[in-house]
Amino acid sequence: MAYLPNTDADRAAMLAAVGAAAVDDLFRDVPSEWLHPALDLPPPLSEPELVAELRALARRNRPLADWDCFLGAGITHRFIPQVVHATIRRPEFATSYTPYQAEASQGYLQAIFEFQTMVAELYGLAVANASMYDGATATAEGALMAVAHTGRSRLLVSATCHPETLRVLDTYAAGRGVQVTRIPRAGAITDLGAARELLAGGESAVVVVAQPSFLGALEPVRELVQAAHATGAMALVAADPVAASVLEPPGALGADIASGEGQPLGIPPQLGGPTVGLLACSEALLRRIPGRLVGRTTDARGETAYCLTLQTREQHIRRERATSNICTNHALMALAATAYVGRLGARGLEQVAEISSRRAHHLATAAGRRPGYALAFPDAPFLWEFVLRCPAPAAAVAARMAEQGILAGLPLGRVDPELEDCLLVCTTELTTPPMIERFLAALPAAASEARAVATVEAVR
Amino acid sequence: MDGPGLAATLPDDQRRRRPARLPSVSEPELARHFGRLARRTHNLQQGIYPLGSCTMKYNPAVNEEMAQLEGFAGCHPYQPEATIQGALELMWTLERWLGTITGMDAFSLQPAAGAHGEWTGLRMIQAWHAASGDLTRTEVVIPDSAHGTNPASAAQCGLAVVTVRSGADGTVDLEDLVRRLSPRTAAVMLTNPNTLGIFEREIATVARLAHAAGALLYYDGANLNALVGMARPGDMGFDIVHLNLHKTFSTPHGGGGPGAGPVGVRARLEPFLPTPRIEREGGGYRLDEDRPRSIGKVRSFYGNFGMLVRAYCYIRAYGDGIAQVAQDAVLTSRYLRHRLAPALGTALASDSFHEFVATTTRSTAPRLRALDLAKRMIDFGIYPPTVYFPTTVPEALMFEPTETESRAALDDLAEVVTAILDEAAADPERLHMAPEQAPVGRVDEVSAARHPEVRWWPADR
């Protein structure tokens, strides 16, 4: 057996030592009719057989490196310096446990302290935790933190947040009897007037908004925060961390809580997981934040040391009165983000944002001029993601583009039927000029073929 | 090929005024920085890691390599289904393997961690009762020895926790259970073997009582390593389980995640599983979002796919011989308990499985604190066992060696603990000073909590 160090002789010696005649004697408390169930599992594989099977499965997927990729929508195809991979693959980090015993875990604790500092700085807030599962769950738990703090049980969430976040928030809120109300979309951003009306009753715990919006546009975060605070509600901004390096961060705009999907910070797409959830808050919420927190302190000799702290918020101490049930978080992905940001620094993140945004603006302008195509929200400022209106159903256009090896973006009909002819298009520093050329060149044929398909289907 | 820059395209009032104060580190310095931090972090390749309830087993090297394959690591969740068929097949197959291992009819791989799986499972239980028109079931019965995540997950669902006592043998007190069950009981939530490492021998009776009261029986899979391949929660009467792939199925713990917490159910609960579901149709696989009775989405996309690849590899390597894992896990634990017995008594006389709970109050140095023993173990290159849990045992030390520890490593651990207990008898003060050899001395956790400093600030804040 592949990973078992003890030989049959070791087993026999250990069985003899504990006074058991056979291994089943160790299981005598289990009723015998349950022991040794027939399992519908295949026979074991040797390592070479295993590698062959996994390689065959992997070959039946087409990774982003083999496409001209313009697909973002929550998972961004960014370059990852090799040193980030090398860091998180170190067994010291990969194979350790949550650092309960501080003296044996100082290195990892310091790394998480650095992560917390990095997230807090990016978001312009006082406090960040040691990570959440992903952007969606970070946003949901952040919103519930505001419910607990305000004692109000209604959440206002902008319809322009990521659709997966909206649905996860619904699931989290439903369990707690918290009412979720959507603030409608106006163009590519939140309807500010509707937000003010919904807030007017003074019953809402928090306003949740994404920056940029799911449709790529810049939200009026400052105005939404002010509107929320004027009615005693808190404000949560689900902010892209790379965007936060060039946009006025949530904390500077007065937000109480910021959350984010940390995948753009050095984490491969991996079909959407594992990534890392970022969660930051103001000092006032320090004792309400869910999850692990690392604190800096001293050891018995007075030297700087780190440990998990404020654990009385947590499930293993406080049980049903804990601020969250989170135990395992996404530490190794947080480490990847720390190494990525440590390598790039604030200036490097700004450059990533700058290059991504320049490519997007070039593409948006050029694509919008192709016959039949147009920018869906021409007046909305954006960074590197924008909505392209197509002369045919966007899903059909994307399908034709995929035949050319181009992932043209996300057809938005699955998100909002009003946007059925719209594609959410994303560029990054990995989107090369030849890729953009090919995208633009493929648009006319994709439109006519898509229209032809649509006509045939209509006739049927 | 570039359009206008941010200076031209960003509205002035949206531009960041003060850059984030972040270091920018050259690659050689970055590698050395994390190299230094790595050396100050105990890990599985350094030595035994017998943390009870954590299942710190060896993480196979090949699994790491397979998860990094570009065809797995490099795919986008929204790319066309036809171009991720290998990934969907892997997940579909893994669901079925977990089903046969646990005796459940359907699995969702989406929850990101054990506690996330608990919460997902309890949300499904709520939905199931609601669908039956029964809106009065607002309580979950949980033993006093349970992991803290159990009551915390119940509270996250808005459910009230009712605690059931453990009896003298460490298992659920059946008389107390009968008193706790009522028309308000939504579920009974158990770990089996429980956190004391003891098998709930009366589990069939527990299941009968729970079901007679109209409740469902929930299996916390944190301790499945004791039973994997040997016995199945489904056969014991459990209706719903979650598994910790980072425990039983060897995906690396990563210093606290990412893990994965799949949830399995009996057929009657299948409609309530989170979306999307993976369906096989014809020769291919697709993602099904159209599940009207589902509790909805519990996280973005489809789960911690990278961890699912590793778990698939692990199960595939053992195949139908996976029971050897549980057999060796229980044997190593029983052997370690036996080796420690002369110096360090166990809390209870009952048979233990993959883990056991010792207490310093029954040791050759009975005034020794569990914490002091733990800290001294660090000096010998051994990560301490879980301490002060379960809370039902004073000065508890919970050991779980796992099947990947050799007899020699277990002998070493026993000798170290015996030596420390001898030392404690001869020089009781010295252990308060431990650790002596670690990168830092005893960390002042009290002042860390009293004056929380959870980030760096510049001097001129």
Side-chain angles (χ1 to χ4, degrees):
Chain A
M1 282 293 173
Y3 316 118
L4 299 174
N6 289 302
T7 63
D8 283 343
D10 290 322
R11 292 187 182 108
M14 288 193 280
L15 280 171
V18 303
V23 74
D24 276 7
D25 292 358
L26 305 179
F27 290 80
R28 65 183 179 183
D29 283 349
V30 181
S32 57
E33 68 268 25
W34 293 340
L35 281 180
H36 302 290
L39 299 181
D40 187 14
L41 289 175
L45 288 189
S46 67
E47 185 168 327
E49 291 169 322
L50 180 66
V51 169
E53 178 168 313
L54 270 289
R55 283 193 187 282
L57 280 168
R59 272 196 301 274
R60 291 172 51 216
N61 306 315
R62 182 170 175 180
L64 296 185
D66 296 348
W67 296 88
D68 292 340
C69 177
F70 295 84
L71 179 58
I75 293 290
T76 317
H77 186 214
R78 294 209 176 281
F79 177 73
I80 303 172
Q82 201 58 41
V83 71
V84 175
H85 294 306
T87 301
I88 67 165
R89 295 192 69 182
R90 292 189 73 120
E92 296 91 337
F93 298 127
T95 75
S96 56
Y97 195 73
T98 301
Y100 286 130
Q101 296 291 343
E103 296 83 359
S105 315
Q106 280 300 297
Y108 216 135
L109 285 162
Q110 182 179 334
I112 297 171
F113 184 84
E114 291 170 1
F115 171 78
Q116 291 172 183
T117 301
M118 179 265 281
V119 175
E121 270 297 310
L122 270 176
Y123 286 154
L125 282 160
V127 175
N129 78 1
S131 78
M132 306 295 283
Y133 307 135
D134 64 2
T137 60
T139 303
E141 292 226 34
L144 291 176
M145 171 163 67
V147 167
H149 192 70
T150 58
R152 299 177 177 183
S153 63
R154 187 168 79 157
L155 301 176
L156 287 184
V157 54
S158 173
T160 59
C161 288
H162 196 295
E164 306 248 357
T165 301
L166 292 173
R167 296 181 58 198
V168 170
L169 191 57
D170 285 342
T171 313
Y172 270 77
R176 297 264 283 264
V178 171
Q179 184 200 343
V180 181
T181 304
R182 298 263 203 282
I183 309 169
R185 173 170 69 82
I189 57 172
T190 310
D191 184 334
L192 189 56
R196 290 195 172 114
E197 278 171 33
L198 286 165
L199 277 162
E203 292 153 3
S204 300
V206 64
V207 168
V208 179
V209 63
Q211 181 70 317
S213 79
F214 178 65
L215 300 177
L218 299 187
E219 291 275 7
V221 172
R222 195 187 311 267
E223 290 76 7
L224 283 163
V225 171
Q226 282 166 0
H229 286 174
T231 61
M234 305 186 102
L236 186 160
V237 181
D240 179 287
V242 177
S245 73
V246 293
L247 298 178
E248 193 67 325
L253 296 170
D256 308 277
I257 306 166
S259 63
E261 173 52 69
Q263 180 273 330
L265 304 176
I267 299 170
Q270 303 183 88
L271 212 68
T275 62
V276 62
L278 314 178
L279 186 62
C281 65
S282 63
E283 193 95 51
L285 291 165
L286 171 65
R287 285 166 202 279
R288 291 207 186 266
I289 198 167
R292 312 283 187 191
L293 277 173
V294 171
R296 183 162 58 186
T297 180
T298 53
D299 72 355
R301 304 163 209 151
E303 304 287 330
T304 296
Y306 301 87
C307 62
L308 294 174
T309 195
L310 299 180
Q311 296 189 66
T312 51
R313 298 167 298 112
E314 289 193 61
Q315 45 77 24
H316 62 283
I317 308 284
R318 191 59 66 85
R319 300 176 78 85
E320 64 267 30
R321 289 183 302 281
T323 57
S324 166
N325 66 338
I326 191 168
C327 177
T328 291
N329 55 31
H330 277 202
L332 198 67
M333 301 295 106
L335 180 68
T338 310
Y340 176 87
V341 173
R343 181 71 193 87
L344 272 72
R347 189 77 200 97
L349 289 176
E350 288 165 26
Q351 283 173 351
V352 166
E354 178 80 27
I355 298 167
S356 303
S357 183
R358 280 179 180 271
R359 302 253 155 98
H361 281 83
H362 167 77
L363 176 62
T365 304
R369 287 188 190 134
R370 291 294 186 276
Y373 291 90
L375 292 185
F377 309 106
D379 300 327
F382 66 94
L383 289 171
W384 45 78
E385 204 155 20
F386 61 92
V387 178
L388 182 65
R389 196 175 289 281
C390 307
V397 172
R400 297 288 86 72
M401 302 275 275
E403 288 165 9
Q404 308 293 314
I406 300 167
L407 279 178
L410 185 74
L412 288 168
R414 66 195 268 182
V415 174
D416 185 340
E418 281 180 25
L419 302 175
E420 210 201 335
D421 58 350
C422 288
L423 264 184
L424 183 62
V425 180
C426 180
T427 62
T428 73
E429 72 280 12
L430 292 176
T431 318
T432 62
M435 290 180 189
I436 291 176
E437 285 297 320
R438 288 194 288 267
F439 182 99
L440 292 169
L443 285 176
S448 50
E449 289 167 27
R451 262 194 305 246
V453 171
T455 310
V456 170
E457 281 173 0
V459 170
R460 274 187 199 151
Chain B
M1 198 52 65
D2 278 353
L6 293 168
T9 57
L10 270 190
D12 270 352
D13 68 338
Q14 295 269 24
R15 284 193 69 86
R16 186 161 184 144
R17 281 166 298 172
R18 191 187 67 189
R21 293 161 294 199
L22 299 168
S24 169
V25 186
S26 71
E27 181 167 330
E29 292 170 297
L30 192 78
R32 191 170 286 166
H33 173 69
F34 286 113
R36 175 176 167 275
L37 297 189
R39 285 192 304 283
R40 291 159 70 89
T41 304
H42 184 96
N43 64 90
L44 266 172
Q45 293 193 5
Q46 182 182 333
I48 189 167
Y49 217 130
L51 266 176
S53 268
C54 302
T55 314
M56 297 299 289
K57 63 170 72 178
Y58 174 71
N59 310 128
V62 66
N63 299 2
E64 295 307 301
E65 292 304 316
M66 294 302 100
Q68 312 302 330
L69 290 176
E70 188 72 24
F72 293 134
C75 287
H76 192 290
Y78 290 157
Q79 68 184 73
E81 280 171 5
T83 66
I84 52 170
Q85 286 294 303
L88 295 178
E89 179 178 324
L90 183 147
M91 290 193 282
W92 189 89
T93 306
L94 181 59
E95 286 182 0
R96 271 131 200 94
W97 289 348
L98 298 177
T100 192
I101 286 170
T102 56
M104 291 290 139
D105 298 311
F107 255 89
S108 167
L109 304 174
Q110 293 198 36
H116 201 217
E118 293 173 13
W119 168 81
T120 301
L122 291 169
R123 291 287 300 115
M124 292 174 61
I125 288 171
Q126 287 178 301
W128 185 78
H129 286 305
S132 323
D134 189 346
L135 302 174
T136 59
R137 295 190 179 268
T138 55
E139 296 176 353
V140 184
V141 175
I142 299 174
D144 52 8
S145 63
H147 298 114
T149 50
N150 292 180
S153 297
Q156 289 282 304
C157 294
L159 292 162
V161 174
V162 174
T163 303
V164 58
R165 231 182 17 230
S166 303
D169 66 349
T171 63
V172 170
D173 180 331
L174 288 179
E175 283 177 27
D176 197 42
L177 177 65
V178 169
R179 280 194 293 275
R180 304 297 167 198
L181 291 169
S182 81
R184 293 184 303 279
T185 311
V188 177
M189 198 172 189
L190 291 184
T191 311
N192 197 18
N194 63 28
T195 61
L196 292 151
I198 297 169
F199 188 82
E200 297 282 350
R201 287 181 305 279
E202 297 298 333
I203 187 62
T205 309
V206 171
R208 191 166 42 74
L209 290 170
H211 291 149
L216 296 174
L217 190 59
Y218 183 101
Y219 182 80
D220 174 340
N223 289 348
L224 186 71
N225 210 45
L227 299 179
V228 60
M230 284 295 284
R232 313 195 296 178
D235 295 336
M236 299 169 199
F238 286 95
D239 302 290
I240 185 162
V241 311
H242 88 263
L243 303 178
N244 303 65
L245 298 188
H246 44 292
K247 293 180 179 175
T248 309
F249 300 99
S250 91
T251 74
H253 281 75
V263 175
V265 294
R266 305 303 297 269
R268 59 185 168 153
L269 286 158
E270 197 268 348
F272 303 97
L273 284 168
T275 56
R277 304 279 302 131
I278 302 161
E279 300 292 344
R280 184 161 74 169
E281 266 179 19
Y285 300 85
R286 67 178 186 88
L287 293 160
D288 181 12
E289 291 278 0
D290 184 20
R291 312 283 294 189
R293 298 169 80 191
S294 164
I295 60 164
K297 281 199 77 71
V298 298
R299 54 155 299 147
S300 51
F301 313 117
Y302 322 129
N304 280 344
F305 176 70
M307 314 324 286
L308 306 179
V309 174
R310 293 166 171 91
Y312 179 102
C313 291
Y314 181 78
I315 297 174
R316 194 74 178 96
Y318 282 106
D320 55 13
I322 202 163
Q324 190 70 51
V325 169
Q327 292 173 11
D328 282 11
V330 174
L331 179 58
T332 54
S333 173
R334 287 286 284 277
Y335 178 71
L336 181 64
R337 176 179 171 176
H338 164 78
R339 286 295 321 263
L340 287 173
L344 192 64
T346 40
L348 293 157
S350 310
D351 277 4
S352 54
F353 278 65
H354 67 302
E355 68 187 5
F356 62 93
V357 178
T359 166
T360 53
T361 61
R362 297 211 180 138
S363 74
T364 51
R367 284 195 305 280
L368 176 66
R369 302 285 320 270
L371 185 70
D372 291 330
L373 172 57
K375 296 300 185 194
R376 187 66 175 139
M377 288 173 75
I378 295 171
D379 282 332
F380 292 87
I382 291 173
Y383 198 92
T386 300
V387 291
Y388 299 104
F389 184 82
T391 48
T392 48
V393 176
E395 300 299 323
L397 293 146
M398 182 199 263
F399 288 90
E400 180 183 4
T402 86
E403 75 281 2
T404 60
E405 292 303 332
S406 68
R407 179 158 67 112
L410 301 170
D411 288 337
D412 284 348
L413 171 57
E415 277 157 30
V416 165
V417 171
T418 306
I420 294 172
L421 289 164
D422 289 347
E423 185 181 71
D427 182 4
E429 282 311 300
R430 182 165 183 191
L431 269 66
H432 299 316
M433 308 302 289
E436 298 170 5
Q437 311 293 324
V440 295
R442 187 81 62 102
V443 174
D444 186 354
E445 299 190 13
V446 173
S447 54
R450 203 164 282 161
H451 310 287
E453 197 185 326
V454 296
R455 59 167 296 184
W456 165 89
W457 285 105
D460 62 344
R461 183 194 174 185

